[in-house]
Amino acid sequence: MSQRFQSLEAYVPGEQPADMEYIKLNTNEAPYPPSPGVIAAINESEIRKLFLYPNPDGTRLINKLAEFYHVGADNVIIGNGSDELLAFAFLAFCDGGRGVCFPDITYGFYPVYAELYDVPYEQIPLMDDLSINLSDYCGVNKNIIIANPNAPTGIALPLGDIEAIIKSNPEFVVLVDEAYVDFGAESAIPLTRKYDNLLVMHTYSKARSMAGARLAYAIGPEPLIGDLRKMKYSFNPYNVNRLTQIAGEVALQENEYYVKMREKIVKTRESTVSRLSEMGFLMTHSCANFIFAKLPGVSGYELYSALKARGILVRHFSKPRIADYVRITIGTDEQMDRLCNEIALIRTR
Ligand code: PMP
């Protein structure tokens, strides 16, 4: 391996053990399948066309996304998951002279990309209650990445705070990663028409039940999207495959299905929060499809391990500030019943 990457610490995705069948509450996927039209659209006739490359621009899907979000086609780019679009953003906007900042506790891929692309980065500590302190991000003179709602806390910033950050850093790009926005926060997409330094990123992996298809998009002013496009065409022009492009279009047409699905997930989240707090758990205020919870007297790792032994996967992070917590993806009502029942048994052990 090249010298410069020997000490790189790669991102570690949520585990997918194959030794038994688990209830998988560790990677924030939706617990429900894609909408019926998506399933029908990935049919034999489309599969037969797989000998052809996909449309590299993703023109049809981009036009549909533009229409859906009331922006122009030049304001949208699609990617192979937000992870790929994030990589393009690091390449396009950051270098030794233009570093980046993000919270110390946030999506674990941000520091990995900063290391990979040799970008100076600052990890700004969240406050003691794990929320973002707005003034820490005003006038920082660096590019900024904010996950809103944040992960793994689920805490959302109001749109007014996001706007204050954008306004106070006019010479730098503010990337708002809205992977979980549809579960209870306000999107900054309308602000992309007003500010030339704002990029908003969405994924189909969570609120549109398509983590396995790998699809995401960024929306922003045309010059920033053009820069991302340049990266894409210098890296992998056919980054979104044919079947995924079709699935992405149909999912937009069937938006109502996903709105209902999200309502159901939010309802399940709220009932799980009540049950866990009755059992003595402390949680951050989650606006996402997961909860971040700790049980005083039981370490996060103990809880994670005990649940895994009982067939339920949740995510534990060993970072000292959050080592007491586990992140639990909201599954179906039945899955959350199982979770609560197993936790009750663990507590009385
Ligand atoms: N951003 C955040 C905040 C995430 O939690 C995730 C999922 N782990 C991603 C981006 C990446 O999502 P995708 O599946 O679109 O690559």
Side-chain angles (χ1 to χ4, degrees):
M1 165 164 261
S2 73
Q3 197 70 34
R4 68 191 178 118
F5 291 136
Q6 280 176 16
S7 60
L8 178 70
E9 276 190 45
Y11 176 72
V12 183
E15 63 190 321
Q16 298 191 8
D19 57 333
M20 58 182 261
E21 211 167 298
Y22 290 91
I23 294 182
K24 209 170 162 297
L25 307 177
N26 68 334
T27 45
N28 297 342
E29 293 139 324
Y32 304 106
S35 54
V38 168
I39 295 167
I42 309 300
N43 55 26
E44 186 176 337
S45 126
E46 291 304 333
I47 293 167
R48 282 186 184 281
K49 292 186 205 146
L50 281 180
F51 65 97
L52 296 167
Y53 282 108
N55 177 324
D57 278 334
T59 312
R60 284 175 50 132
L61 174 55
I62 284 196
N63 286 338
K64 290 236 159 76
L65 284 164
E67 199 181 311
F68 190 86
Y69 289 106
H70 310 292
V71 296
D74 288 344
N75 302 117
V76 187
I77 182 172
I78 54 172
N80 191 302
S82 355
D83 289 339
E84 186 187 56
L85 291 173
L86 267 175
F88 296 162
F90 268 86
L91 285 166
F93 307 120
C94 304
D95 59 27
R98 292 177 75 85
V100 62
C101 64
F102 38 80
D104 64 336
I105 293 158
T106 188
Y107 182 35
F109 224 129
Y110 306 152
V112 176
Y113 276 145
E115 295 279 348
L116 179 68
Y117 296 124
D118 205 13
V119 170
Y121 63 103
E122 186 189 356
Q123 294 178 289
I124 301 178
L126 293 180
M127 295 200 286
D128 287 343
D129 65 358
L130 302 183
S131 67
I132 282 174
N133 182 18
L134 172 63
S135 62
D136 289 346
Y137 293 84
C138 292
V140 288
N141 283 338
K142 288 184 184 85
N143 294 313
I144 296 170
I145 307 180
I146 300 235
N148 196 38
N150 197 12
T153 63
I155 299 172
L157 273 183
L159 199 54
D161 288 8
I162 296 284
E163 187 163 12
I165 295 170
I166 300 162
K167 266 190 189 162
S168 73
N169 295 282
E171 302 303 318
F172 292 87
V173 175
V174 178
L175 193 163
V176 185
D177 176 351
E178 295 189 339
Y180 303 104
V181 76
D182 292 323
F183 298 101
E186 207 179 342
S187 176
I189 288 178
L191 297 180
T192 59
R193 284 185 238 116
K194 197 164 156 196
Y195 296 100
D196 61 10
N197 61 330
L198 170 63
L199 265 181
V200 178
M201 209 171 69
H202 279 196
T203 177
Y204 275 70
S205 296
K206 324 285 177 185
R208 290 200 185 112
S209 289
M210 284 213 294
R214 311 305 300 129
L215 181 60
Y217 50 96
I219 294 186
E222 191 274 325
L224 296 188
I225 295 297
D227 293 342
L228 293 179
R229 214 168 257 144
K230 185 168 176 180
M231 296 302 107
K232 163 191 149 103
Y233 277 95
S234 309
F235 180 80
N236 183 10
Y238 301 111
N239 59 340
V240 179
N241 74 69
R242 297 181 71 93
L243 300 180
T244 294
Q245 289 191 27
I246 293 166
E249 277 179 51
V250 180
L252 283 182
Q253 285 156 15
E254 296 190 325
N255 189 46
E256 213 28 53
Y257 170 94
Y258 297 97
V259 171
K260 288 210 180 89
M261 177 188 88
R262 293 192 292 256
E263 282 167 3
K264 205 156 147 185
I265 292 171
V266 168
K267 220 167 137 208
T268 308
R269 179 185 75 205
E270 294 314 306
S271 63
T272 308
V273 165
S274 309
R275 287 166 78 180
L276 291 183
S277 43
E278 275 163 27
M279 288 197 260
F281 275 83
L282 302 175
M283 282 158 280
T284 51
H285 178 74
S286 174
C287 297
N289 69 335
F290 54 82
I291 48 187
F292 201 46
K294 66 176 175 183
L295 182 60
V298 182
S299 81
Y301 185 74
E302 274 177 279
L303 193 56
Y304 152 82
S305 310
L307 284 169
K308 185 171 174 183
R310 290 158 183 271
I312 300 177
L313 294 175
V314 298
R315 189 92 200 246
H316 174 253
F317 300 93
S318 54
K319 238 179 167 174
R321 275 188 88 185
I322 52 170
D324 285 347
Y325 286 84
V326 290
R327 191 195 67 193
I328 306 169
T329 303
I330 302 302
T332 61
D333 282 330
E334 295 70 35
Q335 289 174 326
M336 301 325 268
D337 282 347
R338 248 300 288 292
L339 172 90
C340 292
N341 293 341
E342 295 296 352
I343 288 176
L345 293 172
I346 293 167
R347 277 173 74 238
T348 52
R349 220 178 19 186

